[in-house]
PDB file of all heavy atoms in Angstrom:
ATOM      1  N   VAL F  89       5.603  18.792 -20.992  1.00  0.00           N
ATOM      2  CA  VAL F  89       5.849  20.208 -20.680  1.00  0.00           C
ATOM      3  C   VAL F  89       6.490  20.904 -21.885  1.00  0.00           C
ATOM      4  O   VAL F  89       6.093  22.003 -22.266  1.00  0.00           O
ATOM      5  CB  VAL F  89       6.738  20.344 -19.421  1.00  0.00           C
ATOM      6  CG1 VAL F  89       7.194  21.788 -19.228  1.00  0.00           C
ATOM      7  CG2 VAL F  89       5.981  19.858 -18.189  1.00  0.00           C
ATOM      8  N   ARG F  90       7.455  20.238 -22.494  1.00  0.00           N
ATOM      9  CA  ARG F  90       8.127  20.852 -23.654  1.00  0.00           C
ATOM     10  C   ARG F  90       7.154  21.044 -24.816  1.00  0.00           C
ATOM     11  O   ARG F  90       7.135  22.075 -25.471  1.00  0.00           O
ATOM     12  CB  ARG F  90       9.304  19.987 -24.109  1.00  0.00           C
ATOM     13  CG  ARG F  90      10.612  20.478 -23.518  1.00  0.00           C
ATOM     14  CD  ARG F  90      11.772  20.047 -24.375  1.00  0.00           C
ATOM     15  NE  ARG F  90      11.980  18.614 -24.225  1.00  0.00           N
ATOM     16  CZ  ARG F  90      13.180  18.059 -24.188  1.00  0.00           C
ATOM     17  NH1 ARG F  90      14.258  18.789 -24.306  1.00  0.00           N
ATOM     18  NH2 ARG F  90      13.315  16.770 -24.075  1.00  0.00           N
ATOM     19  N   GLU F  91       6.348  19.993 -25.057  1.00  0.00           N
ATOM     20  CA  GLU F  91       5.374  20.053 -26.141  1.00  0.00           C
ATOM     21  C   GLU F  91       4.365  21.180 -25.897  1.00  0.00           C
ATOM     22  O   GLU F  91       4.038  21.948 -26.801  1.00  0.00           O
ATOM     23  CB  GLU F  91       4.641  18.713 -26.194  1.00  0.00           C
ATOM     24  CG  GLU F  91       4.451  18.133 -27.582  1.00  0.00           C
ATOM     25  CD  GLU F  91       3.823  16.748 -27.496  1.00  0.00           C
ATOM     26  OE1 GLU F  91       4.602  15.786 -27.369  1.00  0.00           O
ATOM     27  OE2 GLU F  91       2.592  16.623 -27.524  1.00  0.00           O
ATOM     28  N   MET F  92       3.889  21.280 -24.660  1.00  0.00           N
ATOM     29  CA  MET F  92       2.902  22.303 -24.329  1.00  0.00           C
ATOM     30  C   MET F  92       3.507  23.705 -24.402  1.00  0.00           C
ATOM     31  O   MET F  92       2.816  24.669 -24.727  1.00  0.00           O
ATOM     32  CB  MET F  92       2.321  22.054 -22.933  1.00  0.00           C
ATOM     33  CG  MET F  92       1.408  20.856 -22.878  1.00  0.00           C
ATOM     34  SD  MET F  92       0.752  20.563 -21.235  1.00  0.00           S
ATOM     35  CE  MET F  92      -0.384  21.923 -21.062  1.00  0.00           C
ATOM     36  N   PHE F  93       4.782  23.805 -24.078  1.00  0.00           N
ATOM     37  CA  PHE F  93       5.462  25.093 -24.194  1.00  0.00           C
ATOM     38  C   PHE F  93       5.557  25.498 -25.658  1.00  0.00           C
ATOM     39  O   PHE F  93       5.279  26.641 -26.031  1.00  0.00           O
ATOM     40  CB  PHE F  93       6.858  25.008 -23.568  1.00  0.00           C
ATOM     41  CG  PHE F  93       7.720  26.202 -23.842  1.00  0.00           C
ATOM     42  CD1 PHE F  93       7.364  27.452 -23.352  1.00  0.00           C
ATOM     43  CD2 PHE F  93       8.872  26.078 -24.601  1.00  0.00           C
ATOM     44  CE1 PHE F  93       8.151  28.566 -23.604  1.00  0.00           C
ATOM     45  CE2 PHE F  93       9.664  27.181 -24.866  1.00  0.00           C
ATOM     46  CZ  PHE F  93       9.303  28.431 -24.371  1.00  0.00           C
ATOM     47  N   GLU F  94       5.924  24.548 -26.504  1.00  0.00           N
ATOM     48  CA  GLU F  94       6.107  24.851 -27.931  1.00  0.00           C
ATOM     49  C   GLU F  94       4.792  25.266 -28.600  1.00  0.00           C
ATOM     50  O   GLU F  94       4.779  26.112 -29.482  1.00  0.00           O
ATOM     51  CB  GLU F  94       6.721  23.648 -28.654  1.00  0.00           C
ATOM     52  CG  GLU F  94       8.234  23.584 -28.448  1.00  0.00           C
ATOM     53  CD  GLU F  94       8.808  22.196 -28.724  1.00  0.00           C
ATOM     54  OE1 GLU F  94       8.148  21.391 -29.402  1.00  0.00           O
ATOM     55  OE2 GLU F  94       9.927  21.926 -28.238  1.00  0.00           O
ATOM     56  N   THR F  95       3.689  24.660 -28.175  1.00  0.00           N
ATOM     57  CA  THR F  95       2.404  25.003 -28.787  1.00  0.00           C
ATOM     58  C   THR F  95       1.735  26.201 -28.099  1.00  0.00           C
ATOM     59  O   THR F  95       0.692  26.659 -28.544  1.00  0.00           O
ATOM     60  CB  THR F  95       1.416  23.813 -28.712  1.00  0.00           C
ATOM     61  OG1 THR F  95       1.214  23.492 -27.332  1.00  0.00           O
ATOM     62  CG2 THR F  95       1.943  22.599 -29.439  1.00  0.00           C
ATOM     63  N   GLY F  96       2.324  26.660 -26.985  1.00  0.00           N
ATOM     64  CA  GLY F  96       1.736  27.788 -26.253  1.00  0.00           C
ATOM     65  C   GLY F  96       0.690  27.367 -25.235  1.00  0.00           C
ATOM     66  O   GLY F  96       0.133  28.191 -24.518  1.00  0.00           O
ATOM     67  N   GLU F  97       0.435  26.040 -25.163  1.00  0.00           N
ATOM     68  CA  GLU F  97      -0.597  25.564 -24.230  1.00  0.00           C
ATOM     69  C   GLU F  97      -0.194  25.747 -22.770  1.00  0.00           C
ATOM     70  O   GLU F  97      -1.048  25.967 -21.910  1.00  0.00           O
ATOM     71  CB  GLU F  97      -0.858  24.078 -24.465  1.00  0.00           C
ATOM     72  CG  GLU F  97      -1.763  23.788 -25.641  1.00  0.00           C
ATOM     73  CD  GLU F  97      -1.677  22.321 -26.017  1.00  0.00           C
ATOM     74  OE1 GLU F  97      -2.406  21.521 -25.433  1.00  0.00           O
ATOM     75  OE2 GLU F  97      -0.868  21.980 -26.895  1.00  0.00           O
ATOM     76  N   LEU F  98       1.103  25.644 -22.513  1.00  0.00           N
ATOM     77  CA  LEU F  98       1.570  25.799 -21.134  1.00  0.00           C
ATOM     78  C   LEU F  98       1.298  27.222 -20.651  1.00  0.00           C
ATOM     79  O   LEU F  98       0.798  27.438 -19.547  1.00  0.00           O
ATOM     80  CB  LEU F  98       3.066  25.480 -21.047  1.00  0.00           C
ATOM     81  CG  LEU F  98       3.668  25.545 -19.649  1.00  0.00           C
ATOM     82  CD1 LEU F  98       3.075  24.500 -18.727  1.00  0.00           C
ATOM     83  CD2 LEU F  98       5.186  25.389 -19.711  1.00  0.00           C
ATOM     84  N   GLN F  99       1.611  28.178 -21.505  1.00  0.00           N
ATOM     85  CA  GLN F  99       1.394  29.579 -21.172  1.00  0.00           C
ATOM     86  C   GLN F  99      -0.101  29.838 -20.949  1.00  0.00           C
ATOM     87  O   GLN F  99      -0.482  30.532 -20.002  1.00  0.00           O
ATOM     88  CB  GLN F  99       1.945  30.473 -22.286  1.00  0.00           C
ATOM     89  CG  GLN F  99       3.466  30.376 -22.480  1.00  0.00           C
ATOM     90  CD  GLN F  99       3.908  29.254 -23.436  1.00  0.00           C
ATOM     91  OE1 GLN F  99       3.343  28.161 -23.438  1.00  0.00           O
ATOM     92  NE2 GLN F  99       4.915  29.520 -24.262  1.00  0.00           N
ATOM     93  N   SER F 100      -0.955  29.263 -21.817  1.00  0.00           N
ATOM     94  CA  SER F 100      -2.408  29.438 -21.654  1.00  0.00           C
ATOM     95  C   SER F 100      -2.892  28.801 -20.355  1.00  0.00           C
ATOM     96  O   SER F 100      -3.737  29.354 -19.663  1.00  0.00           O
ATOM     97  CB  SER F 100      -3.185  28.810 -22.800  1.00  0.00           C
ATOM     98  OG  SER F 100      -2.553  29.017 -24.008  1.00  0.00           O
TER      99      SER F 100
END
Side-chain angles (χ1 to χ4, degrees):
Chain F
V89 170
R90 264 204 288 218
E91 224 175 272
M92 289 179 71
F93 170 64
E94 279 160 19
T95 60
E97 280 165 86
L98 182 64
Q99 296 87 321
S100 320

